[in-house]
Amino acid sequence: MNIAVILAAGSGTRMGSQTPKQFIEVGGQTLLEHSINAFEQNGNIDEIAVVTKEDFFPLVSSLIEKNGYHKVRKLLKGGKERYDSSLAAINAYPDGDDCLFLHDCVRAGVSQDIIDSCANALQTFDAVEVGIEPTDTVVAIGDDGCITDIPVRSMMRNGQTPQCFRRHIIKKAFDIALQDPAFKATDDCGVVHKYLPEVKIYVAPGEQDNFKITYKEDIERFEKLLAARS
C-alpha cells in the first residue's frame, strides 16, 4: 500500500500563536485538513495516518468525522522529536513492502503532481525526497564563518516533503541510527543517507507552492495560493 503519514505533532511556536499552526484555519479549514485533502483526493494513496499529540486526538477525530475522510484509518501518538513521529508510523505498519509518504502537515500546499511524482519514483527507487532548485547562491562555511565551498546551484536542492520510503528501508535506517550514541535528530532522508549510504535517494521535483508555513506572513501567502487555485 501507499500510506500517507501526516506529521502534525508540532507546537508551531515560531508562528507566535497560542493555537498550534496545524490547527490554524485558512479558507475555512485548518492546515491539517488542507494537507489531508491532498492525499485523500489522490488516486495513488491507499491509506492515511495522522500523527499528533495525544491531547489533540479528540480535535483531530472530530475533523476526520466532519469531513468524512475514508482513507484516514490511523491516529498515532507523536513524540517530542520529529523522528519520534516518524517512528510511530513506521512501527504502526508491519508490512515491509508498504510505502510511507511522510509529510509535514504545514506544507499544506502540496499538489497532486508532487504526490504522483513520488508514487511513480517509488516504483524504481526505495527512497524519494522532494526538492526545488534554490534561487540564491548556496555557500558552505567552516567553523570560522568563512566560505569553504560554493556548490553549483543547479546541483543543489531545497528539500521539501513528502519524503517517501519502502517501509523496510526507513525501518532499517532507524534501527541502525538508534544504536548510534551520537545520533542527532534530522529529517528522514538524512537518516537513510547517513546510515544506509548504499541506498539511492531520488529527488522528485518540488514546487514553490509546497512551502512550509512557519511564520504569520506564510499564512497570507497560503491564502493567496488557495484563492488562485479556486
Side-chain angles (χ1 to χ4, degrees):
M1 292 196 303
N2 286 337
I3 301 158
V5 179
I6 311 298
L7 303 172
S11 58
T13 54
R14 283 177 289 182
M15 183 68 71
S17 169
Q18 291 186 342
T19 302
K21 57 186 176 181
Q22 58 267 40
F23 300 118
I24 291 175
E25 286 197 11
V26 184
Q29 288 190 308
T30 64
L31 296 182
L32 174 59
E33 289 170 279
H34 287 294
S35 284
I36 294 176
N37 290 342
F39 292 93
E40 178 80 15
Q41 295 165 11
N42 190 277
N44 286 304
I45 299 300
D46 301 299
E47 184 170 324
I48 299 171
V50 178
V51 186
T52 192
K53 292 181 178 177
E54 195 168 18
D55 291 348
F56 300 149
F57 276 19
L59 174 56
V60 175
S61 295
S62 69
L63 294 176
I64 294 169
E65 183 178 357
K66 180 187 76 172
N67 289 282
Y69 293 131
H70 69 277
K71 290 185 181 179
V72 181
R73 299 191 189 132
K74 282 186 172 62
L75 190 53
L76 305 173
K77 180 182 176 181
K80 180 180 179 182
E81 302 291 344
R82 184 189 187 280
Y83 73 86
D84 291 322
S85 294
S86 297
L87 282 169
I90 292 166
N91 293 329
Y93 291 94
D95 190 338
D97 288 330
D98 283 339
C99 293
L100 302 180
F101 292 56
L102 301 172
H103 184 66
D104 292 333
C105 166
V106 292
R107 291 188 186 273
V110 63
S111 71
Q112 299 300 299
D113 285 345
I114 288 177
I115 300 170
D116 288 341
S117 292
C118 290
N120 291 335
L122 282 169
Q123 296 180 28
T124 304
F125 299 93
D126 290 330
V128 178
E129 167 80 279
V130 173
I132 58 172
E133 184 177 335
T135 55
D136 297 320
T137 298
V138 177
V139 300
I141 63 171
D143 292 337
D144 60 358
C146 296
I147 290 177
T148 59
D149 190 23
I150 303 178
V152 178
R153 190 172 66 189
S154 63
M155 302 302 292
M156 299 291 105
R157 294 293 182 269
N158 291 331
Q160 300 182 334
T161 66
Q163 293 185 342
C164 312
F165 311 89
R166 295 278 173 186
R167 188 263 182 189
H168 72 276
I169 290 293
I170 189 65
K171 173 69 162 59
K172 183 178 179 181
F174 268 111
D175 284 346
I176 299 170
L178 294 174
Q179 299 299 315
D180 180 3
F183 172 61
K184 293 183 179 179
T186 181
D187 71 349
D188 301 297
C189 278
V191 176
V192 173
H193 179 68
K194 181 173 182 178
Y195 294 100
L196 293 178
E198 71 279 9
V199 174
K200 287 187 176 182
I201 305 173
Y202 178 75
V203 181
E207 298 171 1
Q208 293 289 346
D209 289 343
N210 189 30
F211 60 93
K212 187 176 182 180
I213 298 172
T214 305
Y215 302 104
K216 289 182 178 179
E217 309 88 84
D218 298 325
I219 293 293
E220 182 177 347
R221 182 181 173 189
F222 185 59
E223 288 174 339
K224 291 179 179 177
L225 172 62
L226 291 178
R229 286 182 173 179
S230 64

